[in-house]
Amino acid sequence: MWLLPLAPSGPRRNSPRHLPSCSPALLLLLGSCLGVSGVATGSRRPNVVLLLTDDQDEVLGGMVTLLFLPRPSISPTPLKKTKALIGEMGMTFSSAYVPSALCCPSRASILTGKYPHNHHVVNNTLEGNCSSKSWQKIQEPNTFPAILRSMCGYQTFFAGKYLNEYGAPDAGGLEHVPLGWSYWYALEKNSKYYNYTLSINGKARKHGENYSVDYLTDVLANISLGFLDYKSNSEPFFMMISTPAPHSPWTAAPQYQKAFQNVFAPRNKNFNIHGTNKHWLIRQAKTPMTNSSIQFLDSAFRKRWQTLLSVDDLVEKLVKRLEFNGELNNTYIFYTSDNGYHTGKGQTGGPGIKPLIRLPTQQEMLVANIDLGPTILDIAGYNPNKTQMDGISLLPILKGASNLTWRSDVLVEYQGEGRNVTDPTCPLLSPGVSQCFPDCVCEDAYNNTYACVRTLSAHWNLQYCEFDDQEVFVEVYNLTADPDQITNIAKSIDPELLGKMNYRLMMLQSCTGPTCRTPGVFDPGYRFDPRLMFSNQGSVRTRRFSKPPL
């Protein structure tokens, strides 16, 4: 995650941006939105831009070289301009996570600042509460853009993919414009590059397959530039630009379809090895993979990078237009993704943040996408503690606050997709598999439902997961010794620690708002009462997995 710093006037040599020498003041404009620091007459509240890609993970999606300082002999990257314009300025977080590695639940977490068990979006279907009428009634009025608009007077602009089931006839169709958006240019349903329909403030507009007028990433760039040119200058603005890239079908712009011909999917230590002592979905995968499967993975990796080249163009156009309009100095720019099996790495910046800060404690602080909403509200001057958000504002970290008490764990929860039937194309596999690739390598299954506690403290770096299946399968990884998660230590770890992690998981699965920020297992303030693991009848307390409301 990146954020382009604000700055006082005056250009910085050899850079299209300006860096702050001090924190600019933020003026109290509306009663509900207080200045963040040093209120002074005549100051404007900052603008915010959130750039959201689709399924761009840290390693496989091209962010790995974006998020570090330039190094000699570095591998190619599809986002060189983004790295130069945003990624090289700000603060690095090396432990950034999403609470659900699936598009719709993750996007819902960004918008609401809540874990999936609190916003109740559990998968990408209407039945799973993805853009359902229940979501529209209960959650949309309380998203951070709605608060920015109603309480802080921000112009709010959206362009691109919203939620996977947005536009479904059973949930209001394309006429539905979520509460809180001043300008609405939303894609019908899931990511496409051509032959799609947009909702333009509630009216459908169809697009075809002519690159010059229909390629979605470029269309989003042009719509965004138009907003910057014609918006009101009397109000601050928030923009959320959500690209289809690098999601499948991985359709690159014509000029980029030959790029990265010598780039291949990373061969990490866990590449093409048999998963022993793993969940059944991993154990059943065919290993070693056939040549056709490896070729498929390499081709998919290459095409994903190709689609990101157009995102790189979008970022360049956006930053240059902000600078040309004289608004770059007063605009935060975040760059992140909805999911992609994140293992972290991200950068951010803001008022009073020096470029390229590399403080280890700040690098290692555990952050999640549920923190974006509270952070942006805090930037706008609205106290996020007035909301029911589960996340934490990152603004104190960005401003260099010392002696902060910070979280040591985050919750990850996932609801498997599929049906309890055998896939006819893979008859030898267990029933319920879905999203199968060549050689019956399947991404998901109906009982691939799990919850995890990701813990990071001064002395511990653990991932503890429980699966809601007949095996009641447990996975534990020491990510310091085993960053590729090859060896499951669930059967060898200290049973007392295992019990504490189980208890902490149950607590987080029931948390809401402030209770999601209570001390973790390795925090000084943590208190463990084993009696709470049992019901009044003496049976072991059961785990709670999220279900959508009826």
Side-chain angles (χ1 to χ4, degrees):
M1 177 177 64
W2 307 306
L3 188 152
L4 191 59
L6 306 185
S9 59
R12 178 175 179 262
R13 185 174 298 175
N14 298 327
S15 174
R17 263 165 315 191
H18 312 291
L19 295 173
S21 59
C22 62
S23 174
L26 301 176
L27 177 65
L28 172 63
L29 296 183
L30 292 178
S32 297
C33 290
L34 304 178
V36 176
S37 63
V39 177
T41 303
S43 299
R44 283 189 59 201
R45 285 170 301 159
N47 310 307
V48 181
V49 176
L50 173 58
L51 293 158
L52 184 68
T53 55
D54 195 353
D55 284 9
Q56 183 183 358
D57 58 89
E58 178 257 337
V59 175
L60 300 182
M63 293 176 73
V64 63
T65 52
L66 289 176
L67 301 169
F68 294 96
L69 289 168
R71 295 173 292 181
S73 303
I74 203 165
S75 61
T77 173
L79 294 168
K80 291 181 179 179
K81 291 179 283 191
T82 303
K83 176 176 179 288
L85 293 169
I86 303 176
E88 290 182 359
M89 299 291 177
M91 183 179 296
T92 297
F93 293 93
S94 62
S95 300
Y97 287 82
V98 296
S100 181
L102 190 64
C103 292
C104 203
S106 183
R107 288 166 180 264
S109 287
I110 291 173
L111 291 164
T112 63
K114 297 177 181 178
Y115 283 120
H117 70 263
N118 285 328
H119 60 59
H120 304 294
V121 179
V122 299
N123 57 37
N124 292 334
T125 67
L126 276 178
E127 295 77 15
N129 205 31
C130 180
S131 200
S132 68
K133 289 185 177 180
S134 174
W135 157 266
Q136 295 169 12
K137 179 181 179 180
I138 299 172
Q139 301 298 337
E140 281 184 346
N142 298 303
T143 62
F144 79 85
I147 297 173
L148 285 177
R149 183 60 186 155
S150 64
M151 304 301 291
C152 303
Y154 270 66
Q155 302 169 85
T156 51
F157 167 93
F158 182 88
K161 175 181 172 179
Y162 179 56
L163 301 176
N164 295 56
E165 285 294 329
Y166 172 75
D170 292 341
L174 294 174
E175 293 79 14
H176 172 70
V177 177
L179 189 67
W181 293 102
S182 314
Y183 303 88
W184 182 253
Y185 301 85
L187 176 68
E188 180 182 32
K189 297 197 174 181
N190 205 2
S191 286
K192 293 183 177 180
Y193 298 82
Y194 294 109
N195 298 311
Y196 55 86
T197 302
L198 293 178
S199 171
I200 311 298
N201 297 316
K203 296 183 179 180
R205 178 189 294 173
K206 292 184 179 295
H207 281 261
E209 51 188 17
N210 182 341
Y211 167 71
S212 63
V213 295
D214 295 319
Y215 189 70
L216 182 54
T217 305
D218 293 352
V219 169
L220 299 180
N222 293 332
I223 292 173
S224 301
L225 297 180
F227 167 76
L228 289 175
D229 288 343
Y230 296 107
K231 62 173 178 55
S232 169
N233 291 323
S234 63
E235 297 175 326
F237 63 84
F238 168 72
M239 300 178 72
M240 184 171 178
I241 306 168
S242 179
T243 72
H247 195 283
S248 61
W250 312 312
T251 308
Q255 67 270 29
Y256 296 135
Q257 290 178 0
K258 300 296 183 181
F260 306 119
Q261 293 302 305
N262 295 320
V263 171
F264 305 92
R267 267 56 168 177
N268 298 331
K269 290 182 179 180
N270 57 6
F271 181 82
N272 202 16
I273 63 171
H274 185 68
T276 58
N277 199 16
K278 302 279 187 178
H279 186 249
W280 72 266
L281 190 61
I282 302 298
R283 296 196 304 264
Q284 59 82 25
K286 181 179 180 180
T287 51
M289 290 186 289
T290 63
N291 288 335
S292 61
S293 287
I294 294 175
Q295 290 171 4
F296 174 85
L297 292 175
D298 286 336
S299 175
F301 180 84
R302 197 173 296 120
K303 290 177 180 178
R304 284 165 57 89
W305 275 32
Q306 291 168 356
T307 66
L308 286 170
L309 290 171
S310 294
V311 175
D312 206 32
D313 293 339
L314 182 157
V315 171
E316 180 186 40
K317 293 174 184 176
L318 187 74
V319 172
K320 287 186 175 181
R321 186 62 57 88
L322 286 166
E323 183 179 35
F324 180 81
N325 291 352
E327 294 178 310
L328 187 60
N329 294 342
N330 195 42
T331 302
Y332 285 85
I333 303 179
F334 291 85
Y335 183 102
T336 189
S337 179
D338 60 355
N339 66 86
Y341 316 108
H342 271 302
T343 55
K345 277 73 172 186
Q347 288 187 340
T348 187
I353 302 172
K354 297 180 180 179
L356 303 178
I357 292 176
R358 289 293 184 272
L359 299 178
T361 55
Q362 290 174 329
Q363 283 186 349
E364 296 174 2
M365 282 183 168
L366 202 56
V367 300
N369 69 2
I370 58 173
D371 300 331
L372 284 170
T375 302
I376 293 172
L377 290 178
D378 207 1
I379 288 170
Y382 187 85
N383 183 356
N385 291 328
K386 293 181 179 180
T387 73
Q388 288 298 310
M389 293 183 177
D390 303 329
I392 310 172
S393 172
L394 304 177
L395 193 58
I397 301 176
L398 305 183
K399 287 184 168 291
S402 59
N403 300 319
L404 279 176
T405 299
W406 198 253
R407 66 159 71 95
S408 65
D409 57 22
V410 294
L411 174 68
V412 177
E413 41 193 359
Y414 183 86
Q415 186 84 31
E417 290 190 68
R419 295 180 298 133
N420 190 13
V421 295
T422 300
D423 189 327
T425 62
C426 302
L428 299 180
L429 296 186
S430 299
V433 294
S434 63
Q435 302 177 50
C436 297
F437 288 89
D439 298 322
C440 294
V441 176
C442 304
E443 287 192 345
D444 208 351
Y446 79 98
N447 68 347
N448 184 36
T449 295
Y450 59 84
C452 307
V453 179
R454 178 67 179 92
T455 298
L456 184 63
S457 68
H459 304 291
W460 292 92
N461 186 5
L462 294 176
Q463 182 162 298
Y464 172 91
C465 300
E466 296 182 6
F467 287 80
D468 187 26
D469 58 13
Q470 292 180 344
E471 296 183 54
V472 194
F473 196 77
V474 175
E475 287 187 347
V476 185
Y477 297 100
N478 178 347
L479 297 179
T480 299
D482 183 22
D484 295 303
Q485 300 182 31
I486 295 173
T487 304
N488 180 6
I489 60 173
K491 295 181 179 179
S492 60
I493 197 170
D494 181 358
E496 181 180 353
L497 177 56
L498 203 65
K500 289 181 178 180
M501 297 301 293
N502 169 264
Y503 171 70
R504 180 60 177 166
L505 177 60
M506 291 189 294
M507 294 298 99
L508 285 175
Q509 284 185 280
S510 301
C511 76
T512 179
T515 61
C516 296
R517 304 187 287 271
T518 54
V521 169
F522 301 106
D523 291 330
Y526 176 76
R527 295 293 180 268
F528 174 57
D529 185 350
R531 294 172 297 178
L532 296 178
M533 297 182 65
F534 297 88
S535 67
N536 293 334
Q537 289 74 33
S539 60
V540 176
R541 181 175 174 176
T542 58
R543 293 161 288 161
R544 190 182 86 128
F545 287 90
S546 180
K547 303 292 183 184
L550 297 176

